[in-house]
Amino acid sequence: MNFPIGVYDSGLVGLSVASRILQTLPDERIIYFADTAHVPYGERSFEDIRVFSKAIAGFLIDKGAKAVVAACNLSSAVALDILTDTFPQIPILGVIEPGARAAVRAANGHPIGVLATTGTIKSGAYQNAIGALDRSIPAIGRACPRFVPLVESGMADSEDAASAAAEYVQPLLEAGCRTIILGCTHYPFLIDPIRSAAGQDVTIVDPAEETAAELAALLLRRKIAGDGLDSAHEFYSSGESSGFMTLGSRFLGRTIAAVSHGDLQGAK
Ligand code: DGL
């Protein structure tokens, strides 16, 4: 029961998903992997993402993870099938299906807009997941290549961020979207400019919230929920880890005192 929940992302920002999981499941222990050797994932080939994701999930499971959450949208979009095939004994959750479910619930039949990286939009994963839930709801994807660099460079409050948000959100509003999915781990950090561009009447869905709720239900169903007796979270990084503790602590909302190197044997 007190085995950890493995969570991974291309970088540090997925710690905000881990934070959401800990808010929902305070008795759980997290083991987090940041693939800093390969970040950003957004413009890489799907094959690369599959290789990295498989190596990371294997690493987390070797460390005792009782469940794995792919916090990264692109990895969830293109690698979830290979992960569930490779590790059938461990429940593995992505963020796409929970995000799509929350959006369809909120959409009331209106089109749903999806903001995501180029790769996630190209994969069609959100569009397919929404279509599988309700074929009558159009899903309109919008690749947002300006967003990740803005968050990475600490410019989430800048005029550039406001203009990027307006550029990406406006076509979704024109298409009649009343619900917008933040389909990338970085985008919740742009909630202010996105909200300003979208207006107050649009529902903005952060898939992390629904993912945490689905994880909670899964742990209960399988009777593997933690009992809070062990809260020694662990943090791994495949590459550069300077800044992990300061920046990572901000994303996680609690202090990260140590980061270890995580070797992804052969995943170059
Ligand atoms: N973590 C990725 C995602 O959620 C975005 C950042 C990246 O491109 O690495 O899709």
Side-chain angles (χ1 to χ4, degrees):
M1 289 207 302
N2 288 320
F3 287 109
I5 294 167
V7 181
Y8 73 88
D9 187 23
S10 50
L12 300 181
V13 178
L15 282 162
S16 62
V17 178
S19 162
R20 170 66 61 187
I21 290 171
L22 287 172
Q23 278 165 31
T24 307
L25 293 163
D27 289 341
E28 296 300 329
R29 184 157 73 86
I30 296 282
I31 166 168
Y32 183 86
F33 195 103
D35 192 6
T36 52
H38 303 118
V39 71
Y41 278 5
E43 309 290 321
R44 284 182 181 270
S45 76
F46 292 174
E47 189 44 34
D48 275 358
I49 307 298
R50 289 163 76 83
V51 169
F52 303 153
S53 303
K54 194 171 147 185
I56 297 167
F59 180 95
L60 293 169
I61 292 165
D62 281 351
K63 294 273 176 207
K66 63 183 173 187
V68 171
V69 177
C72 176
N73 287 258
L74 183 52
S75 175
S76 303
V78 303
L80 207 60
D81 55 347
I82 195 176
L83 299 187
T84 47
D85 284 353
T86 311
F87 309 105
Q89 75 284 17
I90 299 289
I92 300 183
L93 262 76
V95 290
I96 304 273
E97 287 187 7
R101 257 192 290 281
V104 166
R105 246 189 353 249
N108 212 2
H110 293 288
I112 295 172
V114 182
L115 301 174
T117 60
T118 306
T120 298
I121 294 300
K122 261 201 207 141
S123 77
Y126 270 112
Q127 297 91 317
N128 294 338
I130 290 165
L133 291 164
D134 188 337
R135 269 195 314 161
S136 71
I137 298 184
I140 297 155
R142 180 80 200 178
C144 311
R146 292 170 67 190
F147 273 170
V148 167
L150 282 164
V151 176
E152 292 283 331
S153 56
M155 307 258 293
D157 294 327
S158 63
E159 278 188 16
D160 263 9
S163 91
E167 175 191 334
Y168 298 142
V169 167
Q170 195 53 38
L172 302 180
L173 300 180
E174 282 162 15
C177 298
R178 307 262 182 88
T179 307
I180 294 179
I181 299 177
L182 303 181
C184 169
T185 42
H186 287 62
Y187 300 178
F189 294 93
L190 292 160
I191 185 70
D192 290 344
I194 292 171
R195 170 59 73 201
S196 298
Q200 293 306 320
D201 296 338
V202 168
T203 303
I204 297 178
V205 172
D206 177 358
E209 289 174 24
E210 187 76 6
T211 304
E214 291 195 11
L215 176 65
L218 181 147
L219 297 182
L220 276 182
R221 220 173 33 244
R222 295 203 176 207
K223 299 188 171 49
I224 52 171
D227 59 13
L229 294 180
D230 186 352
S231 60
H233 308 302
E234 290 172 55
F235 304 92
Y236 293 89
S237 157
S238 57
E240 175 58 38
S241 61
S242 67
F244 194 123
M245 290 189 261
T246 26
L247 203 60
S249 300
R250 232 176 62 209
F251 292 146
L252 187 66
R254 60 184 81 194
T255 305
I256 296 175
V259 180
S260 307
H261 177 68
D263 190 14
L264 290 186
Q265 298 151 12
K268 293 279 178 269

